[in-house]
Amino acid sequence: MTIQVSTVPEVGNLGITTKVDRAAYLTQLLNLRSPLSEANAGLQSTRDQAAARVQELAIPSTREEEWRFTDLSPLLQVNFQAASAIAPTNLEAWFLPEAANSRLVFVNGQYAPELSSTADIPAGVTIGNLAATGSLQSKLANYLAKQPGAEEVFTVLNTASMTDAAVILVPRHQQVEVPIHLLFVTTGQEATISHPRCLVVAEAGSQLTLIEDYVAIDQGVYFTNPVTEIWIEENAQVSHTRIQRESEAAFHIGKTAVSQARDSRYSNISVSLGGQLSRHHLEVYQTGEQTETQLHGLTMITGDQVGDTHSTIAYTKPHGTSNQVHKCIANDRAHAVFNGKIFVPKAAQLTNAAQLSRNLLLSPKARVDTKPQLEITADNVKCAHGATVSQLDNDEVFYLQSRGINADSARKLLIYAFAYDVISQIPVTSLRDRLVSLVRLQQA
């Protein structure tokens, strides 16, 4: 099925289609979903409820506050088709040696068991696709599509369209020593749409390192709409790295929703490099006391790319802490967006929250819209936020030149140092080194 879109102008300069067309477009995206397999028939009720909600919604426009800096009109110009299952045979360039036998691969949103390997996963830990979880599906149903924020338009579209999911369940007091690599590959088929889904449950006292990686084989136009749900129970720890390096012609709109119980610890490093239009919603809900959240983000874009990050940290109990640093590097005519929200209600006394947005513009035509946001009703807290937007410091360039480094190399070194502050947080050495190489390549 292909999608036809009216080109009747919308009022003002907010897009190319009317609100009616945006609703019809979303419904037609829903109609591209694939049927469920017999093994995942239990998802039918969840999908049907989400599908009913989708038909009440529309593709957002810049009239809406949450989307006023990000125009989705280019998305509406594409006639998408459902992605087919094509299993490429040569993906070694994307594999990580540290996760050689702790890897799940999904191609065009569909599980590829022949490319996956879980030999190093400890006994008792569940890792695989949802269809293979068997008797655990009833337990997983208590977590799947249960995070707050599930009514957001692209999240509910994913829920209505999901046919499978990557599943990780770490039992109580179990530590997974090797990193788990979730590799989502798009083959670059022209104008396809896929809806990857991840469900991660870290039970009380458990620990794991997760790499969520979105890559493309070809530079085609396609739409990836992933959702990841992470449940961290009491005294559990999750280190999560999310890398988006898709086609420069692709659309990527993703959601990460995290729920943290008492004494849990969550760290997230998000790096966004690809996509003509990319957006990541990162939502963390601290549901217990003495929770700790560490967020580090980097968006590095050029040309006409748009890179958007929206984050939420919501406290509900006392003694919670969080620290967030998000960096954007925009070159040429690129447009970076950051909106970070921290909610501290009256019940969340003795909260300690810090948020910083740092942005580097490398071109007179580059643009950044940044909005750190604190909403505090508690009266015994320590909270701070800030934002900076700047170009390269001429004094710093001059200092490096005075040490024998030419001006061009000095600028590249400063840009690299700005990005490396985030990349250096990645706990997997091979992935960190590859991203360092990509950053250097972009500056070549």
Side-chain angles (χ1 to χ4, degrees):
M1 176 183 291
T2 59
I3 301 174
Q4 301 297 324
V5 182
S6 168
T7 57
V8 177
E10 191 176 24
V11 177
N13 60 352
L14 300 177
I16 62 163
T17 61
T18 67
K19 185 176 181 180
V20 174
D21 289 325
R22 288 173 180 264
Y25 187 90
L26 182 62
T27 299
Q28 291 182 49
L29 288 180
L30 174 67
N31 292 337
L32 296 176
R33 62 181 181 159
S34 301
L36 286 171
S37 65
E38 185 177 346
N40 287 327
L43 294 176
Q44 192 62 56
S45 176
T46 301
R47 290 207 336 164
D48 289 346
Q49 292 177 25
R53 177 59 179 153
V54 168
Q55 296 178 42
E56 300 173 353
L57 301 173
I59 297 293
S61 76
T62 52
R63 288 176 173 174
E64 300 179 36
E65 178 63 25
E66 291 298 302
W67 291 88
R68 68 190 182 103
F69 295 124
T70 304
D71 187 0
L72 294 177
S73 296
L75 178 71
L76 275 68
Q77 309 247 1
V78 183
N79 293 327
F80 288 108
Q81 307 172 48
S84 59
I86 298 177
T89 57
N90 185 16
L91 292 179
E92 285 78 8
W94 305 108
F95 294 165
L96 303 175
E98 296 91 339
N101 293 304
S102 54
R103 177 184 66 245
L104 297 181
V105 179
F106 288 74
V107 179
N108 295 335
Q110 301 184 42
Y111 181 54
E114 68 280 8
L115 299 171
S116 306
S117 177
T118 59
D120 287 345
I121 298 299
V125 176
T126 299
I127 174 173
N129 66 320
L130 185 62
T133 57
S135 60
L136 285 175
Q137 285 199 14
S138 59
K139 178 178 182 178
L140 295 172
N142 296 322
Y143 299 99
L144 188 63
K146 297 297 193 297
Q147 289 277 12
E151 294 296 300
E152 189 275 328
V153 56
F154 290 102
T155 303
V156 75
L157 176 63
N158 177 289
T159 302
S161 305
M162 66 177 171
T163 57
D164 206 346
V167 175
I168 300 170
L169 174 60
V170 184
R172 295 172 60 89
H173 307 299
Q174 177 78 64
Q175 295 187 3
V176 182
E177 301 294 340
V178 294
I180 296 175
H181 187 198
L182 303 181
L183 181 63
F184 296 93
V185 182
T186 302
T187 59
Q189 294 174 296
E190 195 67 22
T192 58
I193 183 171
S194 62
H195 305 274
R197 189 79 178 212
C198 306
L199 176 62
V200 179
V201 180
E203 294 189 339
S206 64
Q207 182 176 335
L208 79 149
T209 298
L210 175 68
I211 308 296
E212 183 183 351
D213 198 0
Y214 295 90
V215 305
I217 293 179
D218 299 309
Q219 295 296 310
V221 177
Y222 59 86
F223 181 17
T224 306
N225 179 39
V227 172
T228 297
E229 297 178 284
I230 301 177
W231 298 84
I232 311 174
E233 298 184 354
E234 290 188 5
N235 200 36
Q237 180 174 333
V238 174
S239 173
H240 178 203
T241 301
R242 186 186 194 274
I243 310 297
Q244 185 274 109
R245 39 183 172 163
E246 300 215 68
S247 161
E248 292 183 2
F251 298 90
H252 181 106
I253 301 177
K255 162 71 78 64
T256 301
V258 183
S259 178
Q260 290 187 250
R262 180 186 176 95
D263 295 315
S264 64
R265 296 167 301 284
Y266 173 70
S267 65
N268 178 284
I269 301 100
S270 294
V271 179
S272 179
L273 303 174
Q276 66 163 301
L277 190 156
S278 65
R279 177 163 168 139
H280 181 214
H281 294 256
L282 174 56
E283 301 176 357
V284 181
Y285 303 93
Q286 294 194 357
T287 61
E289 297 183 12
Q290 301 182 152
T291 49
E292 179 182 336
T293 304
Q294 299 285 333
L295 307 180
H296 292 82
L298 172 66
T299 298
M300 192 170 182
I301 50 179
T302 189
D304 293 306
Q305 288 180 283
V306 176
D308 185 346
T309 298
H310 272 59
S311 70
T312 299
I313 304 174
Y315 292 86
T316 61
K317 302 290 183 180
H319 300 283
T321 64
S322 67
N323 182 53
Q324 181 178 21
V325 177
H326 189 84
K327 293 188 171 187
C328 297
I329 303 174
N331 200 0
D332 296 329
R333 298 165 303 283
H335 179 197
V337 180
F338 173 75
N339 184 190
K341 302 175 183 176
I342 297 178
F343 297 102
V344 186
K346 190 172 182 179
Q349 301 292 337
L350 300 170
T351 289
N352 187 346
Q355 182 184 78
L356 178 61
S357 168
R358 296 188 61 196
N359 305 277
L360 186 60
L361 299 181
L362 303 180
S363 164
K365 294 185 178 180
R367 174 184 169 189
V368 62
D369 291 289
T370 181
K371 185 184 177 185
Q373 182 176 341
L374 297 180
E375 297 187 17
I376 304 169
T377 54
D379 55 12
N380 187 10
V381 299
K382 182 180 179 181
C383 297
H385 67 163
T388 63
V389 181
S390 65
Q391 298 176 331
L392 290 176
D393 191 320
N394 289 331
D395 289 341
E396 292 178 351
V397 174
F398 177 77
Y399 174 82
L400 292 174
Q401 286 182 278
S402 70
R403 296 299 186 268
I405 302 175
N406 64 52
D408 184 57
S409 297
R411 292 187 181 92
K412 291 178 181 178
L413 181 60
L414 291 171
I415 296 168
Y416 166 77
F418 186 86
Y420 187 74
D421 185 46
V422 173
I423 295 174
S424 64
Q425 305 292 325
I426 296 174
V428 179
T429 302
S430 63
L431 179 60
R432 184 170 63 242
D433 292 345
R434 291 178 191 181
L435 291 176
V436 165
S437 298
L438 280 176
V439 170
R440 288 174 170 165
L441 183 63
Q442 285 198 14
Q443 302 308 312

